[in-house]
Amino acid sequence: LLSATKTQPATIEPYGTFQAQAFGKPEGTMVRMTCFRVLPREAEIELACLVKPSEEVEELAWIDSNFDRAKLTVTGIMILEDLIEKKLID
């Protein structure tokens, strides 16, 4: 995988692990999401062509800081707020 500029290879690095109560599951059932970051950012365009929903992943969507939080799980909100705090999302 190369960046859109083709000048440097794209890399995937760990971003963080987030854990919260699983939506619609009995109290104490936790979900843990391990997230990764693609660098350089331009490589996201090419990555989007490679990543497809499957198994437990129903859909993939690119979001920004204004995304409707009502459409996110508790864990999704945690991740979005972390990205905003670190100024990694528009």
Side-chain angles (χ1 to χ4, degrees), residues 44-76:
E44 293 175 358
I45 296 165
E46 293 173 39
L47 185 62
C49 297
L50 300 174
V51 179
K52 305 287 181 219
S54 66
E55 304 293 327
E56 295 177 3
V57 178
E58 187 174 305
E59 71 174 304
L60 298 171
W62 297 106
I63 64 172
D64 62 20
S65 59
N66 296 315
F67 192 78
D68 181 3
R69 282 157 177 74
K71 295 181 179 179
L72 296 173
T73 63
V74 172
T75 314

